[in-house]
Amino acid sequence: MCMFSGNVGYVGKTKIFARGEGERQYLVYEMTYEAEEALAMILPVPVPRGTGEDGVSFINLEGYPKFFEDLAGLFANITRSQSRHFGMVAANLAVVEVGSFIASFVPTIGDFERLSPQFQLDEGIWSQLPQYQDYGFVVFQLDKGRKHVHPMAFSFPRRDSSRLFFPTVHVHEGDVPDKAEFEHDLYCQWEGDALGRVGEFYARWQSARNRVVENVLFGMQSELEVDEHHLVTPIGMFDFELGQGVVAEEMPLYMAQLRQMYANEDVWVG
């Protein structure tokens, strides 16, 4: 789940991918939601103070709707489980068409006044989220109805290059509960020390079977065409070309599942 500017009847099947590259972090987000009115999804990002409106780079993954399905296919023991924009644009903030979405980067909380009221959080919410007083925010405008959205991807400058950030705080119907029900699959690429537990979240990271040589044992190499853009897996392939460089070919890949009530917090790794 995440932060919404309006009421949602359902949010679930959330999947998030994170990878650091130098002073920037990639983030890919996908979920299913249901809403009676158009609204916005707001993702806080810990950018360096003073980051300008052009600090976030959006990546169009509309052509790779199976991004997370193919990532899941790299894990032998994981069960795998179209939205259109509606023309409401930011006032005086740059907007970007990213596949089926309109998106904006809001550099500070104060800049939300430059968005249409429909896509803002109530002022009282921010007093309950003091950790975001100096964050930036990526805003995706969503249509009404029940939707399973294609992956929403972007990169942002990070203030702490030693850690990865997953936006997992829940804000629904104007409320910030102390605990929230998580239904998240978290993916990350990490080359540092062992990941261990997911912060305060008691889930274990699993390593992907992501090398062709390991999968010869499954007898799949002769059945699948292999080229420089793919990794063969027991049940499929990940297409690096369609992934547009978001997933690195030579980095370890990990996955953790969160499936219970947790403290309503973001997840940091590293």
Side-chain angles (χ1 to χ4, degrees):
M1 299 187 188
C2 51
M3 299 166 59
F4 288 96
S5 64
N7 295 339
V8 289
Y10 169 78
V11 184
K13 301 180 181 179
T14 303
K15 300 174 178 63
I16 311 175
F17 170 84
R19 178 174 74 85
E21 186 173 87
E23 299 303 312
R24 298 187 71 82
Q25 179 183 315
Y26 287 101
L27 192 79
V28 186
Y29 200 104
E30 179 183 291
M31 83 293 189
T32 297
Y33 75 94
E34 185 173 2
E36 294 184 358
E37 297 181 350
L39 74 169
M41 181 183 75
I42 300 167
L43 298 178
V45 286
V47 296
R49 295 170 182 82
T51 298
E53 294 179 25
D54 60 350
V56 166
S57 298
F58 292 97
I59 302 163
N60 182 4
L61 291 182
E62 184 178 24
Y64 199 5
K66 294 176 58 183
F67 178 93
F68 281 105
E69 183 179 349
D70 286 356
L71 278 186
L74 298 171
F75 295 83
N77 59 340
I78 297 298
T79 302
R80 291 183 292 177
S81 23
Q82 189 118 348
S83 169
R84 296 192 61 81
H85 67 73
F86 44 89
M88 296 295 290
V89 299
N92 302 320
L93 272 176
V95 296
V96 180
E97 291 196 18
V98 189
S100 297
F101 306 105
I102 288 179
S104 297
F105 173 57
V106 182
T108 69
I109 289 176
D111 289 308
F112 270 98
E113 64 183 17
R114 301 161 64 190
L115 284 176
S116 301
Q118 186 176 17
F119 307 123
Q120 301 180 32
L121 293 176
D122 292 339
E123 290 186 7
I125 293 294
W126 295 118
S127 64
Q128 301 177 60
L129 298 167
Q131 69 270 34
Y132 297 148
Q133 292 304 308
D134 60 353
Y135 274 41
F137 304 86
V138 174
V139 178
F140 288 94
Q141 299 177 19
L142 304 176
D143 203 352
K144 64 181 180 181
R146 187 176 180 91
K147 308 287 184 181
H148 181 77
V149 301
H150 72 69
M152 297 169 277
F154 57 92
S155 72
F156 62 91
R158 50 184 180 163
R159 65 178 63 171
D160 184 353
S161 60
S162 67
R163 300 193 293 171
L164 293 177
F165 174 76
F166 292 85
T168 54
V169 161
H170 300 52
V171 177
H172 299 165
E173 301 182 9
D175 183 42
V176 186
D178 292 334
K179 290 183 176 292
E181 184 73 30
F182 279 68
E183 187 184 345
H184 289 57
D185 293 344
L186 304 183
Y187 297 86
C188 76
Q189 288 191 286
W190 182 259
E191 289 187 314
D193 296 334
L195 288 166
R197 291 182 174 179
V198 187
E200 298 300 320
F201 301 83
Y202 295 103
R204 295 290 186 178
W205 292 100
Q206 302 175 61
S207 179
R209 297 179 178 274
N210 60 348
R211 292 293 180 268
V212 171
V213 65
E214 295 179 357
N215 292 295
V216 173
L217 297 175
F218 290 88
M220 299 296 291
Q221 192 171 28
S222 62
E223 300 177 24
L224 298 173
E225 181 180 354
V226 182
D227 62 35
E228 62 181 355
H229 300 300
H230 297 85
L231 287 176
V232 175
T233 76
I235 54 176
M237 294 185 291
F238 185 86
D239 192 318
F240 289 102
E241 189 171 34
L242 289 179
Q244 300 182 59
V246 172
V247 178
E249 297 188 42
E250 297 303 324
M251 288 183 69
L253 176 67
Y254 300 93
M255 187 263 204
Q257 292 184 311
L258 305 180
R259 293 289 189 278
Q260 64 183 64
M261 293 290 292
Y262 291 107
N264 189 13
E265 300 172 353
D266 294 316
V267 171
W268 287 88
V269 167

